[in-house]
Structure formats: C-alpha cells, structure tokens
Amino acid sequence: MRKQKRIAAIHDISCFGKCSLTVALPIISAAGIEVSCIPTAVLSTHTGGISGWTYRDLTEDILPIIDHWQTLDLEFDALYTGFLGSFEQINIVAEIFDRLKTPDNLIIVDPVMADNGQLYKIFPPNFPEGMRKLCTKADVIVPNITETVLMLDEPYLEGPYTQAYIEDLLKKLAGLGAGKVVLTGVYFDHHRLGAASYDSKTGEISYAFSDWLEGYFHGTGDVFASALTAALLNDINIARAAEIAVDFTVGSIARTKAAGTDIRFGVNFEQGLPKLIQQLGI
Ligand code: PXL
C-alpha cells in the first residue's frame, strides 16, 4: 500500500459557519490524507455577515507547536494555509514554511482576505502586501480575482472578463513565485462561473466552469481550496484538480440552495464527499 500522506493545515477555527479548519479537516481527511492542524485563532463564528463573534488569538501558540513537532521529526507532504488573523501571523506562517519545506512537499496558499472588490473589513490596507510576500514562498496559490488585483496592485474590474485579461492575471500571479496558480471567480459571461489554472512549468492554461448558481454562499472559497488540495495530494494534475474542486463546490452550493439554508451558515459539502472520493479514484 502507498504510504499515507500527511498535511499541516494552518487556519483559524470558526466554531460555527463551516469555513477554514472545520472545512479543511473533513474534506482532506475524507480524501485519505492525514491532517495535522495548527489553529491560528478560535472564533465563535466566521466574520462574514455575522456580528458579535468572539475571537481568541492563538498567535503565541503557533511556533511552540512547530517546535514540538520538530522534536518528533514530523514531515509533511503539504502545508496548506488560508485565513490568517494578522500581519504577525503571516510572518509566522512564512517562518513555518521555511522550517518545514522539503524538496518534495507542496506549499499551498489561499490568500484569504477579500472578495467582490473589497478587502475584508478586519484587515488593514497593507494586508495584501503581506499575503503577496507569503505567496512568493508557495508552490500553489488559490486567490480569487479581488485578492489577485490587490496583490498585484491593479484596479478591481467587474466581469465578465476576457480570456486575455484572465491569462494576463495568471501569468502575473505566477510571477510572484508559485509555479501553479488557480484563479477563482472567473467568468466570460453570466451563465458560467469557475476557475482558471496555470502551470507555469508546462505553460498549460485550463478552465473549469459550471453553470452559474446565483447567490453568495459563505465558506465556498475554503471548500474549493480544500477539495483542490485533496486532489493535488492524490497526484491529480492542477487542471483536473480544479475541475473536481469546481464540481464539489457547485454541488455543495446546489444542495444548500435547495434546502434554503441561511447563506451565512456555510454550504452542505458533507453530502458531496462520497462523490468527491469517487472522483479522486480512492
Ligand atoms: O472563509 C474564510 C474565512 C475564514 N475564517 C474566518 C473568516 C473567513 C471569511 O470571512 O471570517 C474567521
């Protein structure tokens, strides 16, 4: 039997609302990968559209966790990071990358900080600069269009986009340092929405689209990036991994829409796990 892979997921825990670690852990574990986690903060809920949340910062615990892990000689096939609560946490995660990087492992960064043309209110204006620096250390980055233009210091444009614009963004993103880029929130018309991927080694650009489902559903970025990570760790190439992640995310949205759940409460990804496992071929 093939050796089981192990990943370190570095995100907050939003106790309610299905995002960050409460999404990454089940999705990546279901894909047969061992998930170790570093909780960067504990919140009562995520911060998107819900007020009054609690926030326990765990910044001071992060490096001692790594110190202890290193006494056990643990190795990780991937390091996967998303929402980070402060500039200081970005610098700490950069240090973790330096300490745990091996010639073979994958560093996957989802620079969670913005959507719909807006930086999330809890972040200071210089946050994109920190995320840009973190992306220089990654092998794979998974930004949306807003995060992309903030990191590239370009104006935010409303879609539909042209293929030339998207491919220019992909190449500029790869120029930050990551060999593989998956850009989310791509659309060329109002019927289909999806992701574009770029492998700068082969020069291959691919698109993964699905029928457009109206509405903004919280946590879908984390569902997408976790499914993408699960596929990449099962040795699926970036283009197919993006297709699988789009399919999984859209299925999760469709189930949630059909159930009429509050869109702030996260999507029903759980019932899509059997199909995901099938698509991953495990
Ligand atoms: O889904 C990204 C995310 C993760 N964690 C927290 C968030 C958000 C997005 O708003 O608020 C705490």
Side-chain angles (χ1 to χ4, degrees), residues 12 14-15 45 59 71 79 82 92 102 105 113 117 121 124 126 130 145 152 172 175 192 225 239 277 281-282:
D12 67 280
S14 294
C15 299
T45 68
T59 303
T71 68
L79 310 172
I92 289 174
T102 67
N105 67 7
M113 62 180 158
K121 286 194 194 83
N126 60 351
I145 297 214
L152 297 176
K172 286 178 177 158
R192 288 161 70 71
I277 292 165
I282 47 178

Side-chain angles (χ1 to χ4, degrees), residues 12 14 19-20 43 45-48 83 112 120 122 218-220 222:
D12 67 280
S14 294
C19 64
S20 46
L43 294 88
T45 68
H46 60 70
T47 64
F83 182 98
V112 176
Y120 295 149
I122 51 169
H218 199 88
T220 49
D222 295 342

Side-chain angles (χ1 to χ4, degrees), residues 152-278:
L152 297 176
D153 212 7
E154 293 196 4
Y156 175 72
L157 305 177
E158 293 285 346
Y161 303 104
T162 63
Q163 198 166 330
Y165 175 69
I166 294 299
E167 295 186 2
D168 181 53
L169 290 183
L170 287 172
K171 287 177 187 166
K172 286 178 177 158
L173 282 166
L176 298 180
K180 292 179 181 147
V181 175
V182 178
L183 177 60
T184 60
V186 172
Y187 58 104
F188 297 139
D189 57 49
H190 286 285
H191 303 293
R192 288 161 70 71
L193 176 66
S197 59
Y198 177 50
D199 182 334
S200 67
K201 217 174 189 178
T202 62
E204 190 184 339
I205 291 177
S206 301
Y207 293 93
F209 287 115
S210 149
D211 287 345
W212 191 306
L213 299 182
E214 238 7 277
Y216 179 82
F217 288 81
H218 199 88
T220 49
D222 295 342
V223 168
F224 177 87
S226 299
L228 182 88
T229 299
L232 292 175
L233 284 170
N234 276 290
D235 301 324
I236 291 172
N237 69 41
I238 193 92
R240 178 69 189 135
E243 277 176 8
I244 290 172
V246 166
D247 195 45
F248 182 65
T249 308
V250 170
S252 305
I253 293 172
R255 276 186 295 278
T256 309
K257 256 182 110 94
T261 325
D262 188 323
I263 57 169
R264 299 170 305 167
F265 291 179
V267 290
N268 176 351
F269 68 86
E270 295 89 339
Q271 290 179 315
L273 289 171
K275 182 177 171 199
L276 175 69
I277 292 165
Q278 218 172 31

